PDB file of all heavy atoms in Angstrom:
ATOM      1  N   CYS A 165       3.472  15.723  -0.953  1.00  0.00           N
ATOM      2  CA  CYS A 165       4.023  14.624  -1.757  1.00  0.00           C
ATOM      3  C   CYS A 165       5.288  14.078  -1.086  1.00  0.00           C
ATOM      4  O   CYS A 165       6.199  14.836  -0.740  1.00  0.00           O
ATOM      5  CB  CYS A 165       4.341  15.105  -3.175  1.00  0.00           C
ATOM      6  SG  CYS A 165       2.883  15.657  -4.097  1.00  0.00           S
ATOM      7  N   GLU A 166       5.341  12.770  -0.921  1.00  0.00           N
ATOM      8  CA  GLU A 166       6.486  12.132  -0.288  1.00  0.00           C
ATOM      9  C   GLU A 166       7.653  12.029  -1.267  1.00  0.00           C
ATOM     10  O   GLU A 166       7.541  12.372  -2.448  1.00  0.00           O
ATOM     11  CB  GLU A 166       6.091  10.742   0.216  1.00  0.00           C
ATOM     12  CG  GLU A 166       4.962  10.766   1.245  1.00  0.00           C
ATOM     13  CD  GLU A 166       4.560   9.381   1.675  1.00  0.00           C
ATOM     14  OE1 GLU A 166       5.083   8.404   1.073  1.00  0.00           O
ATOM     15  OE2 GLU A 166       3.740   9.266   2.599  1.00  0.00           O
ATOM     16  N   SER A 167       8.763  11.514  -0.744  1.00  0.00           N
ATOM     17  CA  SER A 167       9.947  11.329  -1.580  1.00  0.00           C
ATOM     18  C   SER A 167       9.653  10.309  -2.673  1.00  0.00           C
ATOM     19  O   SER A 167       9.063   9.255  -2.429  1.00  0.00           O
ATOM     20  CB  SER A 167      11.125  10.840  -0.715  1.00  0.00           C
ATOM     21  OG  SER A 167      12.258  10.598  -1.508  1.00  0.00           O
ATOM     22  N   GLY A 168      10.056  10.616  -3.896  1.00  0.00           N
ATOM     23  CA  GLY A 168       9.777   9.753  -5.034  1.00  0.00           C
ATOM     24  C   GLY A 168       8.485  10.111  -5.742  1.00  0.00           C
ATOM     25  O   GLY A 168       8.123   9.452  -6.718  1.00  0.00           O
ATOM     26  N   TYR A 169       7.784  11.146  -5.262  1.00  0.00           N
ATOM     27  CA  TYR A 169       6.543  11.593  -5.884  1.00  0.00           C
ATOM     28  C   TYR A 169       6.646  13.084  -6.183  1.00  0.00           C
ATOM     29  O   TYR A 169       7.394  13.813  -5.530  1.00  0.00           O
ATOM     30  CB  TYR A 169       5.344  11.332  -4.973  1.00  0.00           C
ATOM     31  CG  TYR A 169       4.996   9.881  -4.834  1.00  0.00           C
ATOM     32  CD1 TYR A 169       5.692   9.058  -3.947  1.00  0.00           C
ATOM     33  CD2 TYR A 169       3.974   9.312  -5.585  1.00  0.00           C
ATOM     34  CE1 TYR A 169       5.380   7.717  -3.812  1.00  0.00           C
ATOM     35  CE2 TYR A 169       3.643   7.972  -5.451  1.00  0.00           C
ATOM     36  CZ  TYR A 169       4.350   7.188  -4.573  1.00  0.00           C
ATOM     37  OH  TYR A 169       4.033   5.854  -4.429  1.00  0.00           O
ATOM     38  N   GLN A 170       5.895  13.512  -7.159  1.00  0.00           N
ATOM     39  CA  GLN A 170       5.884  14.908  -7.538  1.00  0.00           C
ATOM     40  C   GLN A 170       4.443  15.392  -7.695  1.00  0.00           C
ATOM     41  O   GLN A 170       3.517  14.587  -7.819  1.00  0.00           O
ATOM     42  CB  GLN A 170       6.649  15.118  -8.849  1.00  0.00           C
ATOM     43  CG  GLN A 170       6.015  14.450 -10.066  1.00  0.00           C
ATOM     44  CD  GLN A 170       6.827  14.667 -11.327  1.00  0.00           C
ATOM     45  OE1 GLN A 170       7.943  15.141 -11.269  1.00  0.00           O
ATOM     46  NE2 GLN A 170       6.250  14.309 -12.472  1.00  0.00           N
ATOM     47  N   VAL A 171       4.272  16.714  -7.686  1.00  0.00           N
ATOM     48  CA  VAL A 171       2.945  17.306  -7.766  1.00  0.00           C
ATOM     49  C   VAL A 171       2.452  17.253  -9.209  1.00  0.00           C
ATOM     50  O   VAL A 171       3.091  17.785 -10.114  1.00  0.00           O
ATOM     51  CB  VAL A 171       2.958  18.754  -7.262  1.00  0.00           C
ATOM     52  CG1 VAL A 171       1.579  19.380  -7.403  1.00  0.00           C
ATOM     53  CG2 VAL A 171       3.421  18.828  -5.817  1.00  0.00           C
ATOM     54  N   GLN A 172       1.328  16.578  -9.411  1.00  0.00           N
ATOM     55  CA  GLN A 172       0.705  16.563 -10.735  1.00  0.00           C
ATOM     56  C   GLN A 172      -0.322  17.687 -10.863  1.00  0.00           C
ATOM     57  O   GLN A 172      -0.443  18.301 -11.920  1.00  0.00           O
ATOM     58  CB  GLN A 172       0.023  15.217 -10.980  1.00  0.00           C
ATOM     59  CG  GLN A 172      -0.594  15.107 -12.385  1.00  0.00           C
ATOM     60  CD  GLN A 172      -1.335  13.808 -12.573  1.00  0.00           C
ATOM     61  OE1 GLN A 172      -1.993  13.332 -11.655  1.00  0.00           O
ATOM     62  NE2 GLN A 172      -1.226  13.205 -13.746  1.00  0.00           N
ATOM     63  N   GLU A 173      -1.049  17.948  -9.766  1.00  0.00           N
ATOM     64  CA  GLU A 173      -2.058  18.999  -9.785  1.00  0.00           C
ATOM     65  C   GLU A 173      -2.069  19.682  -8.423  1.00  0.00           C
ATOM     66  O   GLU A 173      -2.211  19.021  -7.394  1.00  0.00           O
ATOM     67  CB  GLU A 173      -3.437  18.411 -10.100  1.00  0.00           C
ATOM     68  CG  GLU A 173      -4.524  19.449 -10.248  1.00  0.00           C
ATOM     69  CD  GLU A 173      -5.859  18.831 -10.625  1.00  0.00           C
ATOM     70  OE1 GLU A 173      -5.852  17.641 -11.002  1.00  0.00           O
ATOM     71  OE2 GLU A 173      -6.876  19.540 -10.539  1.00  0.00           O
ATOM     72  N   LYS A 174      -1.900  20.989  -8.419  1.00  0.00           N
ATOM     73  CA  LYS A 174      -1.854  21.742  -7.178  1.00  0.00           C
ATOM     74  C   LYS A 174      -3.229  21.801  -6.544  1.00  0.00           C
ATOM     75  O   LYS A 174      -4.253  21.846  -7.228  1.00  0.00           O
ATOM     76  CB  LYS A 174      -1.332  23.148  -7.443  1.00  0.00           C
ATOM     77  CG  LYS A 174      -1.095  23.958  -6.173  1.00  0.00           C
ATOM     78  CD  LYS A 174      -0.544  25.330  -6.504  1.00  0.00           C
ATOM     79  CE  LYS A 174      -0.320  26.147  -5.229  1.00  0.00           C
ATOM     80  NZ  LYS A 174       0.193  27.501  -5.532  1.00  0.00           N
ATOM     81  N   GLY A 175      -3.269  21.809  -5.209  1.00  0.00           N
ATOM     82  CA  GLY A 175      -4.529  21.861  -4.497  1.00  0.00           C
ATOM     83  C   GLY A 175      -5.199  23.223  -4.584  1.00  0.00           C
ATOM     84  O   GLY A 175      -4.562  24.246  -4.866  1.00  0.00           O
ATOM     85  N   THR A 176      -6.502  23.240  -4.353  1.00  0.00           N
ATOM     86  CA  THR A 176      -7.293  24.468  -4.323  1.00  0.00           C
ATOM     87  C   THR A 176      -8.084  24.511  -3.017  1.00  0.00           C
ATOM     88  O   THR A 176      -7.895  23.672  -2.137  1.00  0.00           O
ATOM     89  CB  THR A 176      -8.236  24.541  -5.533  1.00  0.00           C
ATOM     90  OG1 THR A 176      -9.185  23.467  -5.446  1.00  0.00           O
ATOM     91  CG2 THR A 176      -7.463  24.421  -6.848  1.00  0.00           C
ATOM     92  N   HIS A 177      -8.996  25.487  -2.920  1.00  0.00           N
ATOM     93  CA  HIS A 177      -9.841  25.563  -1.729  1.00  0.00           C
ATOM     94  C   HIS A 177     -10.855  24.433  -1.675  1.00  0.00           C
ATOM     95  O   HIS A 177     -11.393  24.139  -0.605  1.00  0.00           O
ATOM     96  CB  HIS A 177     -10.584  26.911  -1.694  1.00  0.00           C
ATOM     97  CG  HIS A 177      -9.688  28.089  -1.477  1.00  0.00           C
ATOM     98  ND1 HIS A 177      -8.764  28.146  -0.464  1.00  0.00           N
ATOM     99  CD2 HIS A 177      -9.572  29.264  -2.152  1.00  0.00           C
ATOM    100  CE1 HIS A 177      -8.119  29.298  -0.506  1.00  0.00           C
ATOM    101  NE2 HIS A 177      -8.576  30.004  -1.529  1.00  0.00           N
ATOM    102  N   VAL A 178     -11.082  23.779  -2.831  1.00  0.00           N
ATOM    103  CA  VAL A 178     -12.094  22.716  -2.880  1.00  0.00           C
ATOM    104  C   VAL A 178     -11.517  21.376  -3.327  1.00  0.00           C
ATOM    105  O   VAL A 178     -12.269  20.423  -3.542  1.00  0.00           O
ATOM    106  CB  VAL A 178     -13.248  23.121  -3.826  1.00  0.00           C
ATOM    107  CG1 VAL A 178     -14.005  24.298  -3.279  1.00  0.00           C
ATOM    108  CG2 VAL A 178     -12.736  23.411  -5.225  1.00  0.00           C
ATOM    109  N   SER A 179     -10.203  21.270  -3.477  1.00  0.00           N
ATOM    110  CA  SER A 179      -9.586  20.003  -3.906  1.00  0.00           C
ATOM    111  C   SER A 179      -8.221  19.846  -3.272  1.00  0.00           C
ATOM    112  O   SER A 179      -7.541  20.836  -2.958  1.00  0.00           O
ATOM    113  CB  SER A 179      -9.464  19.934  -5.438  1.00  0.00           C
ATOM    114  OG  SER A 179      -8.615  20.957  -5.910  1.00  0.00           O
ATOM    115  N   ASP A 180      -7.831  18.592  -3.104  1.00  0.00           N
ATOM    116  CA  ASP A 180      -6.555  18.267  -2.477  1.00  0.00           C
ATOM    117  C   ASP A 180      -5.432  18.258  -3.518  1.00  0.00           C
ATOM    118  O   ASP A 180      -5.678  18.216  -4.732  1.00  0.00           O
ATOM    119  CB  ASP A 180      -6.655  16.899  -1.796  1.00  0.00           C
ATOM    120  CG  ASP A 180      -5.495  16.616  -0.865  1.00  0.00           C
ATOM    121  OD1 ASP A 180      -4.687  17.538  -0.619  1.00  0.00           O
ATOM    122  OD2 ASP A 180      -5.386  15.475  -0.385  1.00  0.00           O
ATOM    123  N   MET A 181      -4.201  18.254  -3.033  1.00  0.00           N
ATOM    124  CA  MET A 181      -3.032  18.120  -3.892  1.00  0.00           C
ATOM    125  C   MET A 181      -2.999  16.711  -4.478  1.00  0.00           C
ATOM    126  O   MET A 181      -3.278  15.728  -3.801  1.00  0.00           O
ATOM    127  CB  MET A 181      -1.758  18.372  -3.098  1.00  0.00           C
ATOM    128  CG  MET A 181      -0.509  18.490  -3.937  1.00  0.00           C
ATOM    129  SD  MET A 181      -0.236  20.181  -4.481  1.00  0.00           S
ATOM    130  CE  MET A 181       0.261  20.954  -2.944  1.00  0.00           C
ATOM    131  N   VAL A 182      -2.663  16.620  -5.783  1.00  0.00           N
ATOM    132  CA  VAL A 182      -2.578  15.317  -6.461  1.00  0.00           C
ATOM    133  C   VAL A 182      -1.106  14.998  -6.691  1.00  0.00           C
ATOM    134  O   VAL A 182      -0.381  15.769  -7.338  1.00  0.00           O
ATOM    135  CB  VAL A 182      -3.339  15.323  -7.796  1.00  0.00           C
ATOM    136  CG1 VAL A 182      -3.202  13.983  -8.497  1.00  0.00           C
ATOM    137  CG2 VAL A 182      -4.808  15.663  -7.561  1.00  0.00           C
ATOM    138  N   CYS A 183      -0.636  13.878  -6.151  1.00  0.00           N
ATOM    139  CA  CYS A 183       0.757  13.460  -6.276  1.00  0.00           C
ATOM    140  C   CYS A 183       0.845  12.232  -7.182  1.00  0.00           C
ATOM    141  O   CYS A 183      -0.016  11.345  -7.127  1.00  0.00           O
ATOM    142  CB  CYS A 183       1.356  13.135  -4.905  1.00  0.00           C
ATOM    143  SG  CYS A 183       1.306  14.514  -3.726  1.00  0.00           S
TER     144      CYS A 183
END
Side-chain angles (χ1 to χ4, degrees):
C165 297
E166 300 178 354
S167 177
Y169 289 81
Q170 65 181 11
V171 178
Q172 183 184 38
E173 185 177 347
K174 187 179 179 181
T176 64
H177 292 310
V178 294
S179 63
D180 193 8
M181 190 88 72
V182 178
C183 302

